[in-house]
Amino acid sequence: MAKGKSNNVIAKILSVAPGTVDTYLRRVFNKLGVADRTTAAVKGVGMGLIQA
């Protein structure tokens, strides 16, 4: 997600359904306290969870 991949591409990489990716992302957004992909990526980088 932080590299700009769509839910469909992420689903193919993980071998799961796109709906599963959507569920995962909504849970991540909730845990990070954000509402969108961009803010989640920025916050993840800031927290050291992902590398830029």
Side-chain angles (χ1 to χ4, degrees):
M1 178 190 75
K3 293 183 179 182
K5 296 190 184 322
S6 69
N7 285 6
N8 286 335
V9 172
I10 295 168
K12 288 179 185 177
I13 292 168
L14 298 177
S15 298
V16 297
T20 302
V21 174
D22 183 61
T23 299
Y24 290 168
L25 290 179
R26 281 188 277 120
R27 289 178 180 173
V28 168
F29 294 171
N30 187 41
K31 288 181 181 189
L32 292 176
V34 301
D36 60 73
R37 297 168 85 90
T38 302
T39 308
V42 169
K43 192 162 187 178
V45 169
M47 294 174 71
L49 300 173
I50 54 177
Q51 295 179 3

